[in-house]
Amino acid sequence: MSSVVWKLVGPGAGFIATAVANRVVKKAWVGITKSPPPDNPEDPDVAWKEAVVWALASGAIIGITRLLVERQAAVWYRNTFNEAPPGLGKGDDGRVEQLS
């Protein structure tokens, strides 16, 4: 049962965090630059500077937000089920298991 919960909570937390962070980043971009973010930074018509700044800002903020939310989800799981989430615990030899 607990592994089924983690299969829903882990990815669900990451998905929601990504969606919220993406909206926040776009609003912050508009607030700072007074223009919408590039729809497709890979488009050659988008200036290099704008494409790179957008990629760095959005990637960092979304990545850090996902990390924070997914770690909190893992803490919640550990506190609720008294075990590490599947794929995040230590193996029999004491090494941290790799995510599959």
Side-chain angles (χ1 to χ4, degrees):
M1 170 69 176
S2 61
S3 66
V4 172
V5 170
W6 181 247
K7 287 180 183 180
L8 295 172
V9 170
F15 177 78
I16 292 168
T18 299
V20 170
N22 191 31
R23 291 185 68 143
V24 169
V25 154
K26 286 181 179 180
K27 287 185 183 237
W29 180 273
V30 170
I32 293 168
T33 67
K34 308 296 186 229
S35 66
D39 289 330
N40 186 355
E42 295 89 7
D43 184 345
D45 292 334
V46 174
W48 267 106
K49 181 180 176 183
E50 182 180 26
V52 169
V53 171
W54 172 250
L56 289 172
S58 63
I61 292 170
I62 291 169
I64 291 169
T65 301
R66 281 192 63 199
L67 172 66
L68 294 171
V69 169
E70 289 173 354
R71 283 179 61 102
Q72 282 307 114
V75 168
W76 169 84
Y77 182 95
R78 185 180 57 204
N79 291 339
T80 301
F81 296 103
N82 293 320
E83 63 185 24
L88 296 181
K90 292 188 178 184
D92 294 335
D93 59 1
R95 293 182 302 153
V96 175
E97 296 175 353
Q98 296 294 318
L99 293 175
S100 13

